[in-house]
Structure formats: structure tokens, C-alpha cells
Amino acid sequence: METPKIPAPRDEGEKRILAELMSIRDQLQLRKLDRTTYVRTQDVMVLYEKTIEQVRQLNAARTGKKSEENQGNGLSRAPDKVAPSWVRLCFQLLSLFFMTIGRNNEAPAAYSLTSTIKRLLDHLDEANLFSAKDLASIEHTLERLSAIVNNTKTKEPAPFLETLLSSRIDRCRETLDALKLRLKEYHDTIIPTHERLVSILRQMAAINTKPKFKPEDINKLRAQLKDIESQMVDGHFVGPEGKPLAGSEQVIALLERCQTYSEIVLEKRGQFPEQWKFVYDTLTGIRNELDKLSLTQAWSLRETDLYDYQRQLDKIDENRVDGNWVDAKGQPADLYVQRTLLYLIRRSYGYIYHLMISSEPVSEALLPIYNQLQTLKRCLIEVQNSGGVSSVRELYPYSMKLNSIDNLRVDGKFMVSGDIPEGQGSVSELLSQCYDLNYELRVAAEEMAEQEKPGSKDENE
């Protein structure tokens, strides 16, 4: 992992603080790489408290100073701007560690997620390609994060972290509101067409970045574009009264954008310029790995794994000059390269966002048990939906599994290596739900067996 390039502090006190933060960052990195043991809550909290203490000291050292870096307002006002990169990297890692130990509903866990949301919103704004569904998910997440931050009981010495997170959430909401305002320009009748075009353009971008390019896949989408174009009247999308609908011009521009892009993609046929091949291969590699993680998340993801992907994506994204990439000769990337790389970056951040919001508030130490119960619950629901069981005997495998998991508890707690990991309530609740489903199926099977007995009440009548 690259060391961030930051000016060395001139103040001796800040040099000492920076050295401490570097040491904390290194310890977090080493702990992240260790897959031999589960991440323990107490280990994370020790490093978190050390980070908070160093930032408190940095705040105190900068209070009253007036310099280009500080402007006299300390770290608490705008940590993202005035804090050294080591502070931000420590918070980024600690945030993912909080998710790993199952403390998703605490303020520190929100730090990394707010960073990802800000990137996503900026890219949606830049690409001008989004739908109401994209914004709805982000809005819901921001509301949840805001509630977490507001409900967090402020404890010294970390009030600045809540201030920072609130500021980040507010900035995200500003961008979100601006994007929502654009969608309000569209008439309700034309929104489905707009969403369909957004989906088509994204599908073409995905096809363009597949290992094997198939022109027929693009041609199928071009046929859909022609179908949409055929719905126009005199060059406009019109309503029942025959007048152009609000948003017609924007949708027409998006249609033309899709048509132009499809022509470029068919011309390139999956071939990427050599000078951009390294960046392209790096981004497709990240996208593909994140795609695999999204399919196996419950069993294979440790949230701290996302840190390396974030750092790589951030570096590539920040290497742009005036919104575009520049090659070794100083030449900017052409439109095809720029759009392809931007798509890959946006898609990767999208995967990271999905993986974060899907993270369960359960420590990785309890995840094997939690995942087994999730699978067991799905099986029981499927059995219930398909008509139940014909005899109680068919429920024996489920009952035995539930009892085996229940027997792992010590004094009502699931213990792992002598520790009581986070997420006890979530696991216990899931176990209880499985017991309830199993009981309902057993009662239904017993009632059915009773009705089928010779000489039962129904037969005697």
C-alpha cells in the first residue's frame, strides 16, 4: 500500500503525534492482514482510543494557530481538510474494523461509508446518469447514518468525530438534493423511458468491459433504442395532448448519447488503447473481485478487505486532471477511454457501497453461526411456503441443527475463544425465529397426522 504524500509537520509536537498515528496505522494494517484469528473487539477499541487521543492532542496543538494548513480552527471544524492523511487513513481503517467486529450501528463505522457515498454521488453528478432508484437507496442510507450519529452519546475526547460525520452527511445531502432536483424536471409519463435508457447505457458499458466482447449483445440493445425512438412524435416525446413532455429534451439527449456510445463500442470491439491498458486491467480486476465478493459476501468477506480496494480506486480517481486522465505524454484520454474507466470506477464504488450496507451487525467471530442460522431460516421458510411437512420426522434434521447451535451457548451467550463477540442479540433473535418456524411446522404436521387417523372426528361425523 502506498504511503500518502503529505508535508512533514514542522512543529515537534505534531511530528510526535504523526509518528504515533503512523504506528497505529501500521498496527491496523498488520491486524487486517492476519487471517489466523478473529478480530477482537478489545483490540480494535484500544487502537481506536489511541487514535482519538492523538487527534485530541493534535487539536490542542493547533488551537489558536494561524497557518495555511490550519487557519486557527483546529481539527474539529473540518478534519478532512486540515488533518494529516495518516489521521484519515486511521479513521478509514478503524471504520471498517468497527464493521468487522459487528459495531455497525456506532458512529465510527459510518466514516468509511460516508466516504464511499460521497464518491458515488460525485460520479453520478459528473456522469449525469442516474435514476430515482439510485438516489432512493443512498437517501435511505444517509437517513440511517444520520440517526446513528445523532443517537450516539457524545463522549470525550471524540466529539469532533460526530461533528465530522454530521458535516459529511450534510455535504452528501446537498449533492443528493441537487440530483433529485434534476429528476423533478421530468414528467411522470417520461420517467420510465428515462430509466430504461439509463439501464441500457449501463448494460452497454458492462458488455464493453467483458473478457469476450459479443457484438450481438450490443445490437440487441440498439434494437431497444430504435423501439424507444419510434415512440417519438415529430422529434419529441409527447403526452396524450400531443404536446412535448417535460424532460423530453433531456431524454432525447440521453437517447442520442446511447446511440453514439453503441456505435463507438461496436467500432472498438472490446479493444483498449495500449497506453491505458494498465489502468483498465487494474480497474476490471478490482471490479471482478468485488463482484465475486458480492456473491459470497456472507461467507468470505471481512469488511477490512475493502480498504485496499478503496485506496486503489481513490488513487486512480484522484489521478485525473480537470476530470480526465492524462497519459505519459501528457495527452488526455479520448471520450471512449474516459467513459469506460469512469464506468469501471463507478461500478466498483457501487459494489463497495452494496457490501457495506449489506454488512450484518455481527462480529466475524459469530458470522459462521449467524450464516448457518440464516440458511436454516431460509430452508424452513421454503418448506413452509411449499406446503409444510407430512410428518414430524421430516423436521428432525432442522431440530437437531437448531439444538446443536443452541448448545454452543454458555450462560446464554455465544462464546468464542473465551470472548463474548458483538452481535449476541442478532444471533439469538435469529435462533428464536428459526425455533418459531420449526414449531409452527411441527404443529401443522401434528394436526395433519391427527386428522388422518382412522376414526378421527371428521370420519365419525
Side-chain angles (χ1 to χ4, degrees):
M1 189 61 57
E2 280 201 354
T3 297
K5 297 178 181 179
I6 55 172
R10 292 186 292 271
D11 182 272
E12 288 300 320
E14 290 198 15
K15 285 182 181 179
R16 180 186 55 76
I17 293 169
L18 176 60
E20 284 294 324
L21 288 169
M22 289 169 62
S23 174
I24 293 169
R25 199 289 308 253
D26 291 342
Q27 291 177 65
L28 289 168
Q29 284 276 39
L30 290 173
R31 188 64 195 86
K32 178 177 75 69
L33 295 171
D34 183 8
R35 307 298 290 233
T36 60
T37 58
Y38 294 119
V39 177
R40 300 165 72 234
T41 299
Q42 51 266 48
D43 295 338
V44 174
M45 295 310 297
V46 166
L47 293 173
Y48 172 69
E49 294 297 338
K50 285 183 177 180
T51 302
I52 293 300
E53 174 59 22
Q54 294 306 312
V55 175
R56 187 192 65 77
Q57 292 183 26
L58 182 59
N59 246 336
R62 288 184 171 185
T63 299
K65 287 186 178 181
K66 291 186 178 181
S67 64
E68 289 184 6
E69 181 182 21
N70 186 42
Q71 296 299 322
N73 40 31
L75 186 62
S76 58
R77 179 179 170 189
D80 273 342
K81 293 183 179 179
V82 302
S85 296
W86 292 107
V87 175
R88 299 198 296 271
L89 292 181
C90 284
F91 278 141
Q92 193 83 356
L93 263 172
L94 283 166
S95 179
L96 294 170
F97 268 109
F98 265 70
M99 291 186 187
T100 302
I101 62 175
R103 301 180 79 155
N104 303 45
N105 297 322
E106 296 184 24
Y111 186 93
S112 187
L113 186 50
T114 54
S115 298
T116 302
I117 290 174
K118 189 65 174 74
R119 294 271 181 181
L120 278 176
L121 288 170
D122 287 344
H123 287 145
L124 291 176
D125 182 23
E126 179 183 9
N128 194 23
L129 188 71
F130 55 91
S131 66
K133 294 177 182 177
D134 299 323
L135 304 186
S137 173
I138 293 177
E139 183 173 28
H140 174 74
T141 303
L142 287 175
E143 288 175 358
R144 182 174 64 83
L145 294 180
S146 183
I148 289 173
V149 173
N150 291 334
N151 292 334
T152 299
K153 292 181 180 179
T154 305
K155 295 180 180 179
E156 290 291 345
F160 68 90
L161 181 58
E162 292 158 34
T163 303
L164 163 61
L165 290 171
S166 295
S167 175
R168 281 185 161 200
I169 291 170
D170 288 342
R171 293 201 300 274
C172 288
R173 278 179 170 160
E174 288 176 7
T175 307
L176 178 66
D177 289 342
L179 295 178
K180 288 171 66 178
L181 202 59
R182 291 189 207 173
L183 291 181
K184 286 185 178 179
E185 299 174 4
Y186 296 90
H187 190 279
D188 291 345
T189 307
I190 207 172
I191 285 178
T193 304
H194 173 260
E195 291 183 345
R196 187 179 174 191
L197 287 171
V198 169
S199 175
I200 289 173
L201 190 53
R202 287 176 174 172
Q203 288 179 66
M204 288 193 291
I207 293 167
N208 179 50
T209 54
K210 284 183 178 179
K212 291 184 179 180
F213 178 75
K214 295 181 179 179
E216 57 268 28
D217 292 338
I218 296 293
N219 287 327
K220 289 178 183 177
L221 295 173
R222 281 169 65 87
Q224 293 185 39
L225 293 177
K226 289 181 179 179
D227 177 57
I228 294 173
E229 187 176 18
S230 68
Q231 299 171 18
M232 297 169 63
V233 178
D234 296 329
H236 298 282
F237 290 98
V238 301
E241 304 83 7
K243 296 181 179 180
L245 293 167
S248 176
E249 291 183 6
Q250 295 94 317
V251 173
I252 291 171
L254 181 55
L255 174 61
E256 292 173 351
R257 179 177 168 185
C258 290
Q259 292 169 333
T260 301
Y261 186 67
S262 68
E263 292 168 2
I264 296 174
V265 169
L266 285 173
E267 179 186 343
K268 298 293 184 179
R269 301 183 71 84
Q271 300 300 311
F272 215 72
E274 192 60 37
Q275 67 267 38
W276 300 107
K277 201 73 169 63
F278 177 77
V279 180
Y280 175 80
D281 289 344
T282 301
L283 287 175
T284 51
I286 293 172
R287 189 270 313 267
N288 294 342
E289 288 176 26
L290 289 170
D291 181 36
K292 291 177 183 176
L293 274 177
S294 69
L295 297 174
T296 61
Q297 175 186 8
W299 302 97
S300 61
L301 176 68
R302 174 186 272 187
E303 283 79 1
T304 51
D305 295 339
L306 299 175
Y307 175 79
D308 291 342
Y309 297 118
Q310 284 182 312
R311 292 280 290 126
Q312 291 181 75
L313 290 170
D314 291 351
K315 180 188 172 186
I316 294 173
D317 198 14
E318 291 164 5
N319 272 345
R320 291 192 282 165
V321 178
D322 295 328
N324 199 357
W325 286 273
V326 178
D327 64 18
K329 296 180 180 179
Q331 297 298 313
D334 62 28
L335 184 63
Y336 170 74
V337 170
Q338 183 183 17
R339 284 187 177 177
T340 302
L341 296 182
L342 277 175
Y343 162 76
L344 288 169
I345 285 182
R346 290 198 303 271
R347 192 75 184 98
S348 297
Y349 277 123
Y351 275 125
I352 290 175
Y353 169 76
H354 170 74
L355 290 166
M356 284 184 178
I357 64 173
S358 301
S359 174
E360 299 287 354
V362 175
S363 169
E364 68 165 347
L366 288 184
L367 272 181
I369 297 173
Y370 187 81
N371 291 335
Q372 289 178 57
L373 288 171
Q374 286 276 46
T375 302
L376 191 56
K377 180 182 176 181
R378 284 194 292 268
C379 290
L380 289 168
I381 290 175
E382 184 63 31
V383 170
Q384 195 174 57
N385 292 339
S386 61
V389 294
S390 57
S391 70
V392 175
R393 184 178 295 276
E394 293 180 40
L395 292 173
Y396 284 177
Y398 303 108
S399 300
M400 290 175 64
K401 185 62 180 177
L402 282 172
N403 288 329
S404 69
I405 293 176
D406 201 359
N407 290 335
L408 294 175
R409 292 198 281 189
V410 178
D411 295 329
K413 302 289 185 181
F414 289 96
M415 308 283 288
V416 178
S417 301
D419 296 326
I420 304 177
E422 303 284 342
Q424 297 287 329
S426 297
V427 177
S428 296
E429 181 182 0
L430 190 53
L431 177 62
S432 178
Q433 291 172 1
C434 288
Y435 268 126
D436 289 344
L437 286 167
N438 192 62
Y439 176 75
E440 290 170 9
L441 287 166
R442 181 166 64 83
V443 169
E446 289 174 347
E447 290 178 351
M448 186 184 300
E450 187 66 28
Q451 291 174 2
E452 292 176 355
K453 282 183 180 179
S456 65
K457 183 178 178 181
D458 290 341
E459 289 184 357
N460 289 332
E461 290 177 353

